[in-house]
Every structure is written in structure tokens, then in C-alpha cells.
Amino acid sequence: MKNSLSIIMLLSLFLVHSCNKSTSKETAPEKVITAFTKQFPEAKEVEWSKENDEEWEAEFELNETDYSANYLINGEWKSTEYEINETEVPSEIRAILDQNFTDFEIEGIEVEETASGKVYEFMIEQGENEFEVLIDANGNLTKKKMEENENDED
């Protein structure tokens, strides 16, 4: 009986959570949707989320790649991010990474495009340390050591 009651309670919580998720999906303002559609007319599977009172984010697929794009509520584009493979990194950007790090493994690469230009974001592992390394199109490098996740059991 206790098991049945527990299962019913868990199912009820799941259903309530699912219903809340589906009804809480927000629709971006018309100016934002118009700007997005003009910039990414071929986008598929677009999902909108409100980042804050002034900004919306679209997550979508384009040419079989996952993207995200952010817009201000007036429709002004802020940024676009997408993942790339190591082979897609320009040789001059890769050379800067190689000059500044030895014995590292690349865990992931994203490109962020803004009005200021393109930035390559590398997640690298060097020994026991993980870094987020940013290299802009001018070759400027910044790095940030990532904190260990205490709940990570790996």
C-alpha cells in the first residue's frame, strides 16, 4: 500500500511538473521573432526562453548544428553561439592555444559571434585542471580556471 501511494505521489508530481513546463513556455515579443526570422530564416526546432526582463534566447537547429541566439526586447541582436569541431578552428587561433598550453585535451569548442566580432571558447582539460579559454579574432587570450564540482562522482 505504501509503495502504491508513493508511486501515485511521484506520478502526480511528474504530471504537475510537466503541465507547468508546457504552460510556462513563453512567446518572445514580435520584434524579437521578426529579427530572428530575418537573421535565421532556415532555423528549425526553435525554442524561446526569457533570459531576463530585457533579453530573449532562441535555441534552434541550423544545418544540423545546435545554435543559440540572444536578442534584446526591441529586436536588437546580441549574440549567437554554436559548437564546432577541432578541424573547423582557424590555424592561427589553434596556434595561440598551442603556444599557451601544453599537454591538454580539448573537451569542447564553441564560437560566439557578437557585433564586436567572433570569439572561440575552448573547454580544455590539462592534468587535473579544467579551463575555459577564450581567444578573439585579434588573438587576445583569456582563461578561467573552472571550479571542481563537489557533487561530481567521476
Side-chain angles (χ1 to χ4, degrees):
M1 180 75 169
K2 284 185 179 181
N3 266 349
S4 296
L5 186 58
S6 296
I7 291 171
I8 291 170
M9 288 181 68
L10 285 172
L11 285 174
S12 297
L13 285 172
F14 175 76
L15 289 173
V16 167
H17 180 70
S18 296
C19 288
N20 283 344
K21 274 185 113 172
S22 62
T23 58
S24 68
K25 285 213 177 207
E26 298 177 275
T27 303
E30 187 175 329
K31 287 181 181 180
V32 172
I33 293 172
T34 300
F36 171 80
T37 304
K38 185 176 180 181
Q39 188 172 4
F40 299 102
E42 302 295 319
K44 296 179 182 171
E45 300 180 29
V46 180
E47 292 184 18
W48 288 98
S49 61
K50 190 174 184 178
E51 294 288 287
N52 56 50
D53 289 341
E54 299 293 320
E55 187 175 338
W56 283 81
E57 179 179 62
E59 292 185 356
F60 58 100
E61 188 176 296
L62 183 64
N63 301 322
E64 299 181 13
T65 301
D66 292 331
Y67 280 72
S68 68
N70 290 57
Y71 294 83
L72 297 177
I73 58 172
N74 65 2
E76 180 184 340
W77 171 74
K78 282 191 65 182
S79 66
T80 301
E81 288 187 357
Y82 53 94
E83 290 186 16
I84 62 171
N85 297 316
E86 273 188 71
T87 57
E88 297 173 275
V89 176
S91 57
E92 60 275 9
I93 299 296
R94 179 58 193 245
I96 294 167
L97 187 66
D98 291 339
Q99 290 167 7
N100 289 275
F101 293 90
T102 58
D103 299 324
F104 65 91
E105 184 176 328
I106 296 175
E107 300 290 318
I109 308 166
E110 284 188 344
V111 175
E112 180 180 21
E113 296 178 355
T114 66
S116 302
K118 211 180 258 194
V119 175
Y120 294 85
E121 301 177 6
F122 297 88
M123 292 299 299
I124 67 167
E125 188 174 295
Q126 188 178 39
E128 297 294 316
N129 298 312
E130 290 186 359
F131 295 94
E132 180 181 58
V133 178
L134 307 175
I135 304 173
D136 68 20
N138 296 322
N140 299 314
L141 177 142
T142 58
K143 69 178 177 179
K144 175 181 170 186
K145 184 174 181 180
M146 304 306 290
E147 296 296 321
E148 293 286 331
N149 185 347
E150 293 175 14
N151 296 328
D152 194 359
E153 299 293 326
D154 293 331

